[in-house]
Amino acid sequence: MGNLQTFERTEYQQVKADLHRKILDRLDLEKLGRTPNDAARDEVLLLIRNTINSEAVPLSFAERERLAREILDEIFGLGPLEPLLKDSTISDILVNRYDKVYVERAGKLEPTGLSFKDNAHLMQIIDRIVSRVGRRVDESSPMVDARLADGSRVNAIIPPLAIDGPCLSIRRFGRDPVTARTMIENHTLTEPMLELLSAMVKGRLNILISGGTGAGKTTLLNVLSGYIPNSDRIVTIEDAAELQLRQEHVVRLETRPPNIEGKGAVRQRQLVINSLRMRPDRIVVGEVRGEEAFDMLQAMNTGHEGSLTTVHANTQRDAMARLENMFSMANLNIPERAVRQQLVSAIHAVVQIARLSDGTRKVITISEVVGMESDVILMQDIFVFERVGIDEAGKVRGAFKATGIRPKFADKLAIAGYRLRPALFESKVEI
C-alpha cells in the first residue's frame, strides 16, 4: 500500500475522521437532499478530492482515491461495509467487534482486515441500518433484526449484552436471487429432485423445509415459492422480510418489536391469524419458531393447502418433534396423539437441507409424511444424499439417490394434473 504503510491504522482512521468532519462542514446538506442521488455523489466526490488535495497528507494518488471512496461511503453508505456488500461472492458479513470483521465465502470464514474507527463508529453504522426500516437499538432494546435494501438480513446486538462492544451479522441476499438452475449447477439438488419439488408446490402440497443455521432454508424456500402459479394470492409472514417472490398477488407482512415502553409488539402468531382474514391462496411463513406453528398447521388443514414454511432442525424427524413442542407453547392442552394427528394431516413432506463440512449446501433428504402407527409418526425417504467420503481437496463426495419408493401423494398430484414419471424414482447422480 506504499506510503500508507507508514501510517499506523489509528493515524489513518484519525486523518479520515478529520477530513470527514471538514467535508461535512462544507456541505450544503439541504441542497444535497434535493439533488438526484448520482449527481449528489459526483458533487460530493469532487469536494472530497479537492479537500484531500488541499491537505498535507503523505499519500499517493491511488491512496487518496481510496480515502475519497471511503469517505464517500461514510456519507452515503455503510462505511467499511460498502466494499463487502458490493462483493457478490460474500454470503455472510460478521463484525465481532469494531476491529474484527470476517466474511464467509463458499461456506468458509475468513478475516477481511477491514476495521471501523471505534465502537462509536460501528454503532453509528448499526443505527443507520436499523433506522431505515423503522427499528431501533439502544440499551433498553439491545437486540434488533433488520434488513438492507437488497433484502439481506441484519442482526445487531450491543452492550450490555455484547461484552466486547457492538456485534453485527449480515446474511447476504444478492440483487439476483438464487435460481433453481443455480442450485442444480452447485449440486444442491438434482433435476429429478427439482421436478418432484416443483410438482409438489404446483399440486398444492404443504412442505416443511428443515435445516440448521446457514443451511440455505430461506434460499430454497425462495426457489420453491417461484413455482406457485401467478394467479394465486400469497401472504408472506416473516420476522425480517427477506423473501423475494416474483408473483403479482403477494402481500408481505413483518412482525414488529415492542416500543420503548415495551408495548406495541406484533408477533408472528397474530400475523398468521390475521392472514387468514385476507383471502390467501397460499401462506408462506419465513420460519416457525413458537406458538404460531399451531395456527399455521390449522390453516394448512382448513383450506390453505400449498403452504410453505421453514424450521430449524438437524433431521426431518427432529423437525416434526420441534413442531410438536411448538404446539405446547400455545397452551391449548391438546393430547400428544391429537397433536401428531394434526401434524400428519397438515404436512405432506419435509425437505432437509444441510451445509456440509466443505461449505457446500445439499438437500439431504426429501421425505414424505405417511401417517401414524400407534403414537409414532411414519415417514419415508423419497430422495437421499449418501455421503461416501472426502476427496484430497476436502470436498464431500457422495450421490443423490432415489430410494425407489413412489410417494403416496403421487395420486393427489395426478388428480391435480401433475403426473410423476416412474423413472423419477430410479435416478442416481454422483458428485
Side-chain angles (χ1 to χ4, degrees):
M1 293 202 301
N3 294 331
L4 190 56
Q5 290 175 337
T6 61
F7 275 92
E8 291 292 332
R9 184 169 63 184
T10 51
E11 285 184 78
Y12 177 75
Q13 294 287 5
Q14 190 57 51
V15 168
K16 186 170 140 188
D18 291 343
L19 287 169
H20 187 192
R21 201 159 36 249
K22 287 178 183 176
I23 288 156
L24 285 179
D25 289 341
R26 296 181 189 179
L27 281 177
D28 184 345
L29 294 177
E30 189 177 333
K31 179 188 170 189
L32 206 61
R34 298 193 300 267
T35 310
N37 195 42
D38 288 343
R41 285 181 72 93
D42 292 341
E43 191 176 317
V44 172
L45 184 58
L46 183 62
L47 176 61
I48 293 169
R49 284 171 177 158
N50 291 338
T51 305
I52 292 173
N53 291 336
S54 68
E55 298 290 322
V57 183
L59 297 174
S60 69
F61 177 78
E63 291 155 0
R64 285 168 185 255
E65 275 299 295
R66 177 193 161 200
L67 183 59
R69 292 287 171 187
E70 286 183 9
I71 295 172
L72 193 69
D73 287 339
E74 290 290 342
I75 295 171
F76 287 97
L78 300 177
L81 298 178
E82 282 295 322
L84 304 180
L85 292 168
K86 289 169 185 169
D87 188 341
S88 60
T89 66
I90 293 173
S91 55
D92 281 273
I93 301 169
L94 306 169
V95 184
N96 292 355
R97 45 184 249 187
Y98 77 91
D99 58 348
K100 288 189 177 177
V101 182
Y102 293 81
V103 296
E104 181 191 279
R105 279 192 179 91
K108 299 289 185 181
L109 287 176
E110 57 186 65
T112 63
L114 293 175
S115 173
F116 293 82
K117 182 172 181 284
D118 50 28
N119 282 328
H121 183 202
L122 176 53
M123 269 304 303
Q124 182 186 350
I125 298 300
I126 291 172
D127 279 330
R128 193 176 294 180
I129 292 170
V130 300
S131 62
R132 287 175 181 175
V133 290
R135 303 212 168 182
R136 64 184 180 84
V137 61
D138 51 41
E139 278 195 16
S140 63
S141 178
M143 296 185 293
V144 68
D145 282 313
R147 66 181 182 277
L148 299 178
D150 65 0
S152 298
R153 186 171 68 211
V154 178
N155 176 270
I157 182 165
I158 67 169
L161 301 186
I163 296 169
D164 296 324
C167 295
L168 184 65
S169 307
I170 301 177
R171 172 66 50 79
R172 295 292 313 285
F173 287 90
R175 290 174 180 82
D176 300 318
V178 174
T179 63
R181 179 53 47 195
T182 309
M183 296 192 92
I184 289 170
E185 289 169 357
N186 293 340
H187 302 296
T188 302
L189 43 62
T190 62
E191 292 270 13
M193 293 166 79
L194 183 64
E195 188 177 332
L196 173 65
L197 289 171
S198 63
M200 288 160 64
V201 174
K202 293 171 186 173
R204 303 186 70 86
L205 299 189
N206 297 322
I207 301 172
L208 176 67
I209 298 170
S210 165
T213 301
K217 299 185 298 297
T218 305
T219 301
L220 182 59
L221 181 61
N222 254 327
V223 169
L224 295 187
S225 63
Y227 293 103
I228 298 174
N230 205 35
S231 56
D232 283 6
R233 177 175 166 83
I234 308 163
V235 177
T236 69
I237 299 164
E238 300 171 86
D239 269 340
E242 54 191 345
L243 290 171
Q244 299 168 305
L245 274 62
R246 302 297 185 193
Q247 289 84 346
E248 288 182 17
H249 299 288
V250 178
V251 178
R252 303 169 74 208
L253 305 181
E254 185 177 62
T255 60
R256 187 175 71 184
N259 60 21
I260 199 164
E261 297 167 350
K263 299 176 182 176
V266 179
R267 299 173 65 84
Q268 275 205 150
R269 185 177 189 188
Q270 294 166 272
L271 293 179
V272 172
I273 293 169
N274 187 78
S275 72
L276 300 177
R277 305 181 184 123
M278 298 172 68
R279 196 244 171 246
D281 291 307
R282 314 264 189 149
I283 300 172
V284 178
V285 178
E287 182 185 337
V288 285
R289 291 189 180 92
E291 68 270 20
E292 70 274 4
F294 171 76
D295 303 283
M296 177 75 193
L297 268 66
Q298 287 286 87
M300 289 176 173
N301 272 325
T302 54
H304 298 91
E305 292 181 318
S307 296
L308 305 166
T309 189
T310 74
V311 67
H312 269 275
N314 292 328
T315 69
Q316 60 272 45
R317 291 206 165 274
D318 287 349
M320 298 299 279
R322 282 212 64 207
L323 285 182
E324 198 176 322
N325 292 335
M326 290 174 197
F327 260 64
S328 64
M329 295 181 189
N331 297 318
L332 297 168
N333 297 318
I334 300 174
E336 272 188 14
R337 182 175 175 80
V339 169
R340 288 172 186 165
Q341 284 174 332
Q342 287 244 23
L343 287 170
V344 167
S345 60
I347 295 172
H348 296 103
V350 181
V351 180
Q352 185 71 35
I353 188 167
R355 181 169 59 172
L356 305 184
S357 58
D358 61 355
T360 59
R361 293 163 173 87
K362 299 271 188 289
V363 173
I364 300 298
T365 55
I366 299 175
S367 306
E368 179 184 21
V369 180
V370 180
M372 282 184 67
E373 190 173 284
S374 185
D375 286 340
V376 179
I377 295 175
L378 299 179
M379 301 175 76
Q380 61 184 14
D381 295 341
I382 302 163
F383 282 95
V384 296
F385 177 72
E386 290 184 349
R387 279 170 269 199
V388 296
I390 298 175
D391 66 13
E392 298 81 6
K395 290 287 183 184
V396 173
R397 290 295 167 206
F400 290 102
K401 292 172 63 177
T403 59
I405 297 172
R406 183 177 182 271
K408 290 188 174 183
F409 59 63
D411 294 332
K412 180 179 171 69
L413 292 179
I415 292 169
Y418 302 100
R419 294 189 177 277
L420 300 174
R421 298 181 293 113
L424 208 63
F425 308 109
E426 301 165 6
S427 64
K428 178 178 178 179
V429 178
E430 292 189 12
I431 62 164

